[in-house]
Amino acid sequence: MQEKSPLERVRVFVKRYDPQLEPIVYEQPLPTSEAAAEALGSEVGQIAKSILFRSGDQFALFVAAGDVKIHPKQVKAALGSGKAKMASMEEVEKVTGYRVGAVCPFALEQEVPVIVDTSLRRFPVVYTAAGIAESLLPVTYEALLAMTNAVEADVAQAP
């Protein structure tokens, strides 16, 4: 059986939540929040960046507005003891099933805690990566929470 492409995995997953939901696919890769915002003509904050952190063998995926920085104490709070750091490119691909720059916050390879930043709430629609660097998926904040089964946190502030 042929394995699904990352984009196809996302398409199949989101149809369970909303049959109308469809990723937007561009000709060129959108490797940063700024590039994605420029392609969309939106604010950088509307681009939901998904960053995988690890401490020991524990991982957590943080989904934050493109215009905020994730506070190290939030990462530590999510992962518990030990030194927390960003996951390597190899770890990101193994845990999420997506390459760095194209990490979608759902339809992950491994189940890990997902923490969604409350700063995304200010937008009627946010855009996540949809499995490939050329893709974006428009979702509401509520849909993002439902699809990721996430915990909400203000990740830019110390807990």
Side-chain angles (χ1 to χ4, degrees):
M1 187 174 101
Q2 174 113 22
E3 197 175 314
K4 289 188 179 91
S5 74
L7 180 63
E8 196 53 34
R9 261 189 21 236
V10 172
R11 277 192 173 120
V12 168
F13 183 88
V14 300
K15 294 292 181 217
R16 296 192 318 217
Y17 289 89
D18 181 350
Q20 305 304 309
L21 217 48
E22 182 62 35
I24 303 165
V25 180
Y26 289 87
E27 293 286 317
Q28 77 286 357
L30 307 168
T32 64
S33 298
E34 291 77 15
E38 191 174 318
L40 276 170
S42 73
E43 290 181 49
V44 173
Q46 268 185 285
I47 308 304
K49 59 186 175 186
S50 299
I51 303 174
L52 187 69
F53 287 90
R54 72 179 284 251
S55 176
D57 59 357
Q58 294 288 106
F59 291 91
L61 185 68
F62 285 78
V63 184
D67 61 357
V68 302
K69 294 219 181 301
I70 298 168
H71 197 288
K73 286 189 176 168
Q74 288 287 355
V75 176
K76 192 160 176 46
L79 290 168
S81 63
K83 183 167 171 46
K85 61 181 184 176
M86 279 176 58
S88 70
M89 291 174 81
E90 293 79 20
E91 290 168 330
V92 169
E93 206 162 334
K94 182 178 176 204
V95 172
T96 68
Y98 307 112
R99 291 195 170 130
V100 170
V103 175
C104 180
F106 38 81
L108 304 173
E109 281 295 317
Q110 297 177 25
E111 201 170 306
V112 296
V114 178
I115 295 92
V116 171
D117 180 38
T118 54
S119 70
L120 287 166
R121 197 185 293 157
R122 63 193 147 132
F123 301 107
V125 173
V126 297
Y127 297 86
T128 72
I132 60 171
E134 300 83 3
S135 66
L136 293 169
L137 183 74
V139 294
T140 64
Y141 182 75
E142 293 73 24
L144 178 62
L145 289 176
M147 290 191 287
T148 57
N149 197 20
V151 172
E152 288 181 276
D154 182 352
V155 303
Q157 302 295 318

